Amino acid sequence: MADTNRQIKQMVNFIMQEAHEKVNEIRIKTEHDFNLEKQMLVHNGKIKIQEEFAQKEKDLEIQQRVQRSSAIGNARVKKMKARDELLDSLRKECASKLSTIATTPQYPELLKKLIIQGLIKIEEPVVAIQCRPEDKSKVEGVLKKAVSEYKQIMTEAGHKVKPDVTMSNTPLSSKNCSGGVVLSADNNRIVLNQTLDERLQIAYHDVMPAVRKGLFKDSA
């Protein structure tokens, strides 16, 4: 009986020992798996944070680039607007001074040259000339000489012409014209504007690149 109890006790002790070892083994494995999983979670978390940070940094860089580009664009628009306003003010200032030309002693000579130039450009046998009512006497005073000089220029160039140049019965508006003449031919199907306003407009477009360059040397 004593041997049996001893054997039973030994078996119980063995089982308990095995159980303790198994529990310890499970605990160790569980701790290992937990630590491994924790490391993976921490590692993945770091990677995710780094990726999010990199994306935010990239987004911020793009945003700053867009803002810089927008600021540069706005600055250029403002600069161009200010430049155009200045150039337009120069044009208006010149236009305001046109009317004074018609009051100078040199104006009749200018009218003659405008007529000659117009006849050369239009090169038609029958031409009508329009002018402002206040310029009619001046134009009539230089018309004969202008036609004569025109014929001489054309003859020297090897062309014999006999132009019929008359004053038009339709005057130019003094309100919209600062001086000069308008030549028409072929029942007004051909019209050449030789007014001071038109000459200013042509000069404005022709010389404006040089003016712009002189005024805005550092412009992009």
Side-chain angles (χ1 to χ4, degrees):
M1 185 69 178
D3 290 337
T4 300
N5 290 336
R6 185 174 54 80
Q7 289 177 354
I8 291 172
K9 188 177 181 180
Q10 287 178 347
M11 289 179 63
V12 170
N13 290 335
F14 177 76
I15 292 171
M16 290 297 293
Q17 181 66 28
E18 286 289 328
H20 282 303
E21 291 178 359
K22 194 66 178 175
V23 169
N24 191 48
E25 182 182 336
I26 292 172
R27 181 183 59 79
I28 292 172
K29 187 175 185 309
T30 300
E31 290 179 355
H32 177 269
D33 292 345
F34 173 77
N35 290 330
L36 184 62
E37 183 68 21
K38 184 173 71 172
Q39 289 176 359
M40 289 183 64
L41 288 173
V42 171
H43 178 70
N44 292 337
K46 286 181 179 179
I47 292 177
K48 186 176 181 181
I49 291 173
Q50 289 173 352
E51 289 176 348
E52 290 177 352
F53 179 79
Q55 184 62 45
K56 288 181 180 180
E57 192 176 32
K58 184 178 180 180
D59 292 342
L60 179 61
E61 183 182 349
I62 292 173
Q63 184 181 2
Q64 290 175 341
R65 195 180 305 154
V66 170
Q67 289 175 345
R68 283 196 301 269
S69 178
S70 178
I72 292 172
N74 291 335
R76 285 179 177 172
V77 169
K78 289 181 181 179
K79 187 175 183 180
M80 289 175 64
K81 184 177 179 182
R83 182 181 66 184
D84 290 342
E85 287 176 353
L86 175 58
L87 294 177
D88 190 54
S89 69
L90 290 175
R91 183 186 64 80
K92 289 179 179 178
E93 184 179 351
C94 292
S96 67
K97 293 180 178 179
L98 278 182
S99 57
T100 62
I101 295 176
T103 63
T104 62
Q106 295 81 18
Y107 184 54
E109 180 67 17
L110 176 61
L111 285 172
K112 185 188 75 172
K113 290 180 179 179
L114 288 172
I115 293 171
I116 294 172
Q117 185 185 56
L119 291 173
I120 293 173
K121 286 183 177 180
I122 205 168
E123 203 174 345
E124 288 290 323
V126 180
V127 179
I129 296 181
Q130 293 174 269
C131 66
R132 301 183 306 169
E134 58 265 43
D135 290 337
K136 185 177 180 181
S137 60
K138 295 183 180 70
V139 173
E140 289 176 339
V142 299
L143 183 58
K144 185 175 180 180
K145 191 171 182 181
V147 173
S148 176
E149 289 187 20
Y150 163 66
K151 291 169 66 175
Q152 182 180 349
I153 291 171
M154 297 301 288
T155 299
E156 290 175 357
H159 304 283
K160 287 189 177 182
V161 293
K162 293 182 179 180
D164 180 11
V165 184
T166 59
M167 296 292 296
S168 170
N169 293 323
T170 306
L172 298 177
S173 170
S174 300
K175 184 178 179 180
N176 301 321
C177 178
S178 301
V181 295
V182 171
L183 291 80
S184 60
D186 197 13
N187 293 321
N188 289 323
R189 281 191 284 268
I190 301 174
V191 178
L192 179 63
N193 192 332
Q194 289 285 88
T195 62
L196 300 183
D197 308 85
E198 179 66 14
R199 303 306 298 176
L200 173 63
Q201 195 66 18
I202 293 172
Y204 178 80
H205 287 291
D206 288 346
V207 305
M208 198 45 57
V211 173
R212 186 180 289 112
K213 185 177 180 181
L215 289 175
F216 310 100
K217 294 181 179 179
D218 59 342
S219 295

